[in-house]
mmCIF file of all heavy atoms in Angstrom:
data_model
loop_
_atom_site.group_PDB
_atom_site.id
_atom_site.type_symbol
_atom_site.label_atom_id
_atom_site.label_comp_id
_atom_site.label_asym_id
_atom_site.label_seq_id
_atom_site.Cartn_x
_atom_site.Cartn_y
_atom_site.Cartn_z
ATOM 1 N N LEU A 61 -201.113 8.657 48.496
ATOM 2 C CA LEU A 61 -200.813 9.850 47.702
ATOM 3 C C LEU A 61 -201.252 9.712 46.251
ATOM 4 O O LEU A 61 -201.615 10.704 45.618
ATOM 5 C CB LEU A 61 -199.321 10.168 47.768
ATOM 6 C CG LEU A 61 -198.805 10.645 49.120
ATOM 7 C CD1 LEU A 61 -197.291 10.769 49.081
ATOM 8 C CD2 LEU A 61 -199.459 11.943 49.537
ATOM 9 N N MET A 62 -201.239 8.515 45.724
ATOM 10 C CA MET A 62 -201.645 8.299 44.325
ATOM 11 C C MET A 62 -203.090 8.726 44.079
ATOM 12 O O MET A 62 -203.458 9.035 42.951
ATOM 13 C CB MET A 62 -201.471 6.834 43.945
ATOM 14 C CG MET A 62 -200.053 6.430 43.746
ATOM 15 S SD MET A 62 -199.996 4.659 43.422
ATOM 16 C CE MET A 62 -198.409 4.534 42.665
ATOM 17 N N GLU A 63 -203.878 8.773 45.119
ATOM 18 C CA GLU A 63 -205.282 9.173 45.004
ATOM 19 C C GLU A 63 -205.480 10.677 45.147
ATOM 20 O O GLU A 63 -206.593 11.172 45.018
ATOM 21 C CB GLU A 63 -206.110 8.456 46.074
ATOM 22 C CG GLU A 63 -206.037 6.949 45.992
ATOM 23 C CD GLU A 63 -206.685 6.271 47.192
ATOM 24 O OE1 GLU A 63 -207.256 6.974 48.047
ATOM 25 O OE2 GLU A 63 -206.606 5.033 47.260
ATOM 26 N N GLN A 64 -204.398 11.416 45.415
ATOM 27 C CA GLN A 64 -204.489 12.847 45.679
ATOM 28 C C GLN A 64 -204.164 13.663 44.433
ATOM 29 O O GLN A 64 -203.395 13.234 43.586
ATOM 30 C CB GLN A 64 -203.536 13.238 46.816
ATOM 31 C CG GLN A 64 -203.736 12.459 48.092
ATOM 32 C CD GLN A 64 -205.122 12.612 48.656
ATOM 33 O OE1 GLN A 64 -205.639 13.715 48.741
ATOM 34 N NE2 GLN A 64 -205.735 11.506 49.035
ATOM 35 N N ASN A 65 -204.733 14.867 44.360
ATOM 36 C CA ASN A 65 -204.468 15.777 43.234
ATOM 37 C C ASN A 65 -203.001 16.179 43.149
ATOM 38 O O ASN A 65 -202.499 16.497 42.071
ATOM 39 C CB ASN A 65 -205.320 17.041 43.357
ATOM 40 C CG ASN A 65 -206.790 16.753 43.190
ATOM 41 O OD1 ASN A 65 -207.175 15.764 42.564
ATOM 42 N ND2 ASN A 65 -207.620 17.602 43.756
ATOM 43 N N GLN A 66 -202.299 16.177 44.268
ATOM 44 C CA GLN A 66 -200.906 16.620 44.310
ATOM 45 C C GLN A 66 -199.928 15.536 43.841
ATOM 46 O O GLN A 66 -198.735 15.784 43.754
ATOM 47 C CB GLN A 66 -200.520 17.046 45.731
ATOM 48 C CG GLN A 66 -201.276 18.233 46.249
ATOM 49 C CD GLN A 66 -202.667 17.867 46.741
ATOM 50 O OE1 GLN A 66 -202.989 16.715 46.969
ATOM 51 N NE2 GLN A 66 -203.508 18.869 46.897
ATOM 52 N N TRP A 67 -200.422 14.347 43.539
ATOM 53 C CA TRP A 67 -199.545 13.234 43.191
ATOM 54 C C TRP A 67 -198.620 13.569 42.021
ATOM 55 O O TRP A 67 -197.431 13.267 42.060
ATOM 56 C CB TRP A 67 -200.355 11.972 42.905
ATOM 57 C CG TRP A 67 -199.517 10.807 42.498
ATOM 58 C CD1 TRP A 67 -199.562 10.131 41.317
ATOM 59 C CD2 TRP A 67 -198.485 10.167 43.264
ATOM 60 N NE1 TRP A 67 -198.628 9.108 41.303
ATOM 61 C CE2 TRP A 67 -197.947 9.116 42.497
ATOM 62 C CE3 TRP A 67 -197.953 10.394 44.531
ATOM 63 C CZ2 TRP A 67 -196.934 8.298 42.937
ATOM 64 C CZ3 TRP A 67 -196.928 9.572 44.978
ATOM 65 C CH2 TRP A 67 -196.427 8.538 44.187
ATOM 66 N N THR A 68 -199.125 14.205 40.988
ATOM 67 C CA THR A 68 -198.297 14.547 39.824
ATOM 68 C C THR A 68 -197.154 15.464 40.233
ATOM 69 O O THR A 68 -196.008 15.257 39.827
ATOM 70 C CB THR A 68 -199.154 15.227 38.736
ATOM 71 O OG1 THR A 68 -200.243 14.372 38.421
ATOM 72 C CG2 THR A 68 -198.343 15.512 37.496
ATOM 73 N N ASP A 69 -197.449 16.459 41.037
ATOM 74 C CA ASP A 69 -196.428 17.402 41.501
ATOM 75 C C ASP A 69 -195.413 16.700 42.407
ATOM 76 O O ASP A 69 -194.209 16.938 42.310
ATOM 77 C CB ASP A 69 -197.099 18.561 42.235
ATOM 78 C CG ASP A 69 -196.202 19.765 42.378
ATOM 79 O OD1 ASP A 69 -195.318 19.966 41.514
ATOM 80 O OD2 ASP A 69 -196.377 20.509 43.358
ATOM 81 N N ILE A 70 -195.890 15.828 43.277
ATOM 82 C CA ILE A 70 -195.003 15.077 44.169
ATOM 83 C C ILE A 70 -194.075 14.188 43.349
ATOM 84 O O ILE A 70 -192.871 14.125 43.607
ATOM 85 C CB ILE A 70 -195.822 14.263 45.191
ATOM 86 C CG1 ILE A 70 -196.506 15.217 46.187
ATOM 87 C CG2 ILE A 70 -194.955 13.240 45.916
ATOM 88 C CD1 ILE A 70 -197.549 14.568 47.063
ATOM 89 N N CYS A 71 -194.608 13.518 42.336
ATOM 90 C CA CYS A 71 -193.786 12.668 41.464
ATOM 91 C C CYS A 71 -192.725 13.488 40.743
ATOM 92 O O CYS A 71 -191.566 13.072 40.635
ATOM 93 C CB CYS A 71 -194.653 11.954 40.433
ATOM 94 S SG CYS A 71 -195.582 10.593 41.110
ATOM 95 N N ARG A 72 -193.106 14.650 40.260
ATOM 96 C CA ARG A 72 -192.153 15.523 39.564
ATOM 97 C C ARG A 72 -190.999 15.895 40.491
ATOM 98 O O ARG A 72 -189.831 15.844 40.097
ATOM 99 C CB ARG A 72 -192.847 16.788 39.072
ATOM 100 C CG ARG A 72 -191.933 17.740 38.317
ATOM 101 C CD ARG A 72 -192.615 19.044 37.954
ATOM 102 N NE ARG A 72 -193.271 19.716 39.053
ATOM 103 C CZ ARG A 72 -192.641 20.452 39.977
ATOM 104 N NH1 ARG A 72 -191.336 20.595 39.932
ATOM 105 N NH2 ARG A 72 -193.309 21.054 40.942
ATOM 106 N N LEU A 73 -191.314 16.218 41.741
ATOM 107 C CA LEU A 73 -190.265 16.574 42.693
ATOM 108 C C LEU A 73 -189.379 15.374 43.024
ATOM 109 O O LEU A 73 -188.170 15.514 43.189
ATOM 110 C CB LEU A 73 -190.875 17.121 43.987
ATOM 111 C CG LEU A 73 -191.458 18.516 43.905
ATOM 112 C CD1 LEU A 73 -192.197 18.859 45.171
ATOM 113 C CD2 LEU A 73 -190.373 19.536 43.629
ATOM 114 N N GLN A 74 -189.974 14.214 43.123
ATOM 115 C CA GLN A 74 -189.220 13.013 43.493
ATOM 116 C C GLN A 74 -188.368 12.479 42.338
ATOM 117 O O GLN A 74 -187.318 11.907 42.559
ATOM 118 C CB GLN A 74 -190.173 11.915 43.964
ATOM 119 C CG GLN A 74 -190.825 12.200 45.297
ATOM 120 C CD GLN A 74 -189.823 12.151 46.426
ATOM 121 O OE1 GLN A 74 -189.257 13.163 46.790
ATOM 122 N NE2 GLN A 74 -189.597 10.986 46.965
ATOM 123 N N GLU A 75 -188.827 12.650 41.118
ATOM 124 C CA GLU A 75 -188.148 12.068 39.961
ATOM 125 C C GLU A 75 -187.040 12.951 39.395
ATOM 126 O O GLU A 75 -186.165 12.466 38.686
ATOM 127 C CB GLU A 75 -189.159 11.755 38.861
ATOM 128 C CG GLU A 75 -190.128 10.661 39.250
ATOM 129 C CD GLU A 75 -191.297 10.524 38.291
ATOM 130 O OE1 GLU A 75 -191.405 11.341 37.348
ATOM 131 O OE2 GLU A 75 -192.112 9.616 38.502
ATOM 132 N N ASN A 76 -187.085 14.230 39.675
ATOM 133 C CA ASN A 76 -186.107 15.162 39.117
ATOM 134 C C ASN A 76 -185.170 15.662 40.201
ATOM 135 O O ASN A 76 -185.546 15.767 41.360
ATOM 136 C CB ASN A 76 -186.824 16.365 38.484
ATOM 137 C CG ASN A 76 -187.661 15.944 37.309
ATOM 138 O OD1 ASN A 76 -187.167 15.306 36.390
ATOM 139 N ND2 ASN A 76 -188.944 16.269 37.343
ATOM 140 N N PRO A 77 -183.930 16.001 39.806
ATOM 141 C CA PRO A 77 -183.009 16.595 40.790
ATOM 142 C C PRO A 77 -183.584 17.913 41.285
ATOM 143 O O PRO A 77 -184.263 18.630 40.538
ATOM 144 C CB PRO A 77 -181.730 16.838 39.993
ATOM 145 C CG PRO A 77 -181.894 16.133 38.701
ATOM 146 C CD PRO A 77 -183.338 15.876 38.492
ATOM 147 N N ARG A 78 -183.341 18.219 42.530
ATOM 148 C CA ARG A 78 -183.830 19.475 43.093
ATOM 149 C C ARG A 78 -183.033 20.633 42.510
ATOM 150 O O ARG A 78 -181.864 20.497 42.153
ATOM 151 C CB ARG A 78 -183.699 19.465 44.623
ATOM 152 C CG ARG A 78 -184.429 18.325 45.312
ATOM 153 C CD ARG A 78 -185.901 18.183 44.931
ATOM 154 N NE ARG A 78 -186.724 19.290 45.291
ATOM 155 C CZ ARG A 78 -187.461 19.358 46.395
ATOM 156 N NH1 ARG A 78 -187.476 18.371 47.231
ATOM 157 N NH2 ARG A 78 -188.195 20.411 46.634
ATOM 158 N N TYR A 79 -183.669 21.789 42.428
ATOM 159 C CA TYR A 79 -183.003 22.982 41.912
ATOM 160 C C TYR A 79 -181.854 23.370 42.833
ATOM 161 O O TYR A 79 -181.949 23.230 44.058
ATOM 162 C CB TYR A 79 -183.981 24.148 41.822
ATOM 163 C CG TYR A 79 -185.019 23.990 40.747
ATOM 164 C CD1 TYR A 79 -186.358 23.837 41.072
ATOM 165 C CD2 TYR A 79 -184.661 23.983 39.404
ATOM 166 C CE1 TYR A 79 -187.322 23.692 40.086
ATOM 167 C CE2 TYR A 79 -185.619 23.840 38.410
ATOM 168 C CZ TYR A 79 -186.949 23.698 38.763
ATOM 169 O OH TYR A 79 -187.889 23.549 37.791
#
Side-chain angles (χ1 to χ4, degrees):
L61 291 174
M62 286 176 160
E63 301 171 4
Q64 305 301 314
N65 293 336
Q66 296 79 16
W67 178 241
T68 305
D69 197 29
I70 291 168
C71 285
R72 181 185 51 79
L73 287 172
Q74 290 291 92
E75 294 169 356
N76 296 306
R78 302 308 297 264
Y79 290 114

